[in-house]
Amino acid sequence: MEGFMSIDIFIIILATGVRLATPFLLAALGEMFVQRSGVYNLGVEGIMMMGAFAGFFATLQQGSPLLGIIVSLAIGALMGLIMAFVSVTFKAEQGISGIGLYMFGWGLSGLLFRLYVGGVTSIDGLKPIAIPMLSDIPLIGQVLFNHNVLVYTAFLLVPLSGIILYKTSWGLNVRAVGNKPEAADTLGVSVVKIRYQCLIVGGMLAALAGAFLTIGQANMYADNITAGRGFIAIALVYFGRWSPWGILLGSLLFSMADSFQSMVQVLGINFPYELAVILPYMVTIIALAISYGRVWAPAALGKPYERGTRG
């Protein structure tokens, strides 16, 4: 236990926690925009699985992680478009539509993997990039400034999302559509267009989160590689009160608990294995329970909009 508390182990736990937060941040920030527009997409997990396979397969075929990222973004946009078409244009029940999208992504990604890959195959994924000067800062440099490009992207998207959501006219339109779609429509804002845009953006970020798991972390693809991260990302949107900074806090809370339990197992610490495995989920559930209170959800969340109706 004395070795477990050393500074080197502490740095490893923190650095691993930062890396593990990446898929949660990407998927949850995308879902935040979706829900801010008045739609909730329970298909995040399925989009992540398709993004994970698309990124992996493109990298495997061409040897280019950058191409893998581009392909995963395209697949995510397509999946978001499908969700928009079903839930916005046809006004299907959003919860059922999302579950259907999840099952579609889960089944198709597994089928394509078996057809075109067949077994465990490794790829040459993204490499860590040490930021000059910043990576040399004691403690902070090793924790924050020695990761691959998708980790940096995820964390830079937090302030960028805040700026877009609160400081731009598009962000104002998104919030208006999610809270008072009839008022936004009256002022000339297209509710359908905004919701389509948000679902496409959300799909792209969810797929990018999946791609991170295969080309930015595991360097391989496996069935159920997402392991429920998409559903956790949805929960983090609620935990974070639909705010980028709240989502960042929730993502780090879960990932640090996950990093801690992994280190406990790696070092063989005398700690119950079962408790270590469920620790991140326990922390998340407790945090959600503690943070329960005033509801900050967009007023029109989950409600299809038709012109001439109110909500």
Side-chain angles (χ1 to χ4, degrees):
M1 181 63 72
E2 183 179 349
F4 179 70
M5 299 305 293
S6 70
I7 186 64
D8 289 338
I9 298 300
F10 182 64
I11 290 174
I12 292 173
I13 291 174
L14 292 179
T16 302
V18 168
R19 175 172 53 82
L20 292 177
T22 300
F24 299 117
L25 268 178
L26 290 171
L29 288 172
E31 179 65 9
M32 177 196 70
F33 281 107
V34 173
Q35 294 195 15
R36 280 286 191 169
S37 73
V39 181
Y40 63 90
N41 181 8
L42 296 183
V44 173
E45 179 85 356
I47 299 175
M48 285 182 67
M49 283 190 277
M50 285 298 296
F53 176 78
F56 161 79
F57 191 69
T59 304
L60 177 66
Q61 294 298 308
Q62 301 298 323
S64 171
L66 176 59
L67 179 62
I69 290 173
I70 293 172
V71 171
S72 69
L73 288 171
I75 292 296
L78 179 60
M79 296 284 280
L81 189 62
I82 292 172
M83 180 64 185
F85 190 64
V86 173
S87 63
V88 178
T89 298
F90 283 109
K91 299 178 175 59
E93 207 284 324
Q94 294 174 11
I96 301 300
S97 302
I99 293 298
L101 191 66
Y102 155 64
M103 296 177 68
F104 173 73
W106 171 68
L108 184 58
S109 59
L111 174 63
L112 293 174
F113 176 67
R114 287 171 179 79
L115 284 177
Y116 296 106
V117 183
V120 177
T121 305
S122 62
I123 57 174
D124 190 15
L126 296 169
K127 300 294 189 294
I129 301 172
I131 305 299
M133 297 180 66
L134 294 178
S135 60
D136 296 326
I137 301 175
L139 182 62
I140 295 176
Q142 294 170 276
V143 172
L144 298 179
F145 302 112
N146 191 25
H147 297 281
N148 67 53
V149 65
L150 288 184
V151 178
Y152 298 133
T153 299
F155 281 84
L156 287 174
L157 279 175
V158 174
L160 181 60
S161 296
I163 293 171
I164 292 173
L165 193 60
Y166 298 109
K167 302 295 183 180
T168 67
S169 59
W170 186 79
L172 176 62
N173 289 341
V174 169
R175 288 183 288 129
V177 166
N179 282 295
K180 292 289 184 180
E182 64 281 351
D185 192 10
T186 301
L187 293 174
V189 177
S190 172
V191 175
V192 170
K193 181 180 178 180
I194 290 293
R195 289 183 172 178
Y196 259 77
Q197 289 172 345
C198 287
L199 279 160
I200 291 172
V201 168
M204 292 174 68
L205 289 178
L208 190 61
F212 169 80
L213 297 174
T214 52
I215 65 178
Q217 182 169 281
N219 291 333
M220 57 169 284
Y221 180 87
D223 282 335
N224 198 34
I225 194 170
T226 52
R229 289 178 176 88
F231 294 110
I232 294 171
I234 296 172
L236 290 174
V237 176
Y238 286 80
F239 171 82
R241 295 293 191 263
W242 295 266
S243 160
W245 296 104
I247 288 171
L248 172 63
L249 176 61
S251 299
L252 287 173
L253 182 66
F254 184 90
S255 65
M256 289 300 173
D258 194 15
S259 177
F260 173 79
Q261 69 87 14
S262 297
M263 190 57 63
V264 165
Q265 296 181 62
V266 168
L267 296 179
I269 303 299
N270 186 20
F271 192 84
Y273 167 77
E274 296 80 6
L275 183 59
V277 170
I278 67 171
L279 179 62
Y281 304 94
M282 289 177 57
V283 169
T284 303
I285 292 172
I286 292 171
L288 283 169
I290 292 175
S291 64
Y292 177 79
R294 181 180 175 184
V295 177
W296 296 85
L301 181 60
K303 301 175 182 177
Y305 177 69
E306 296 184 21
R307 270 191 150 179
T309 65
R310 300 191 63 82

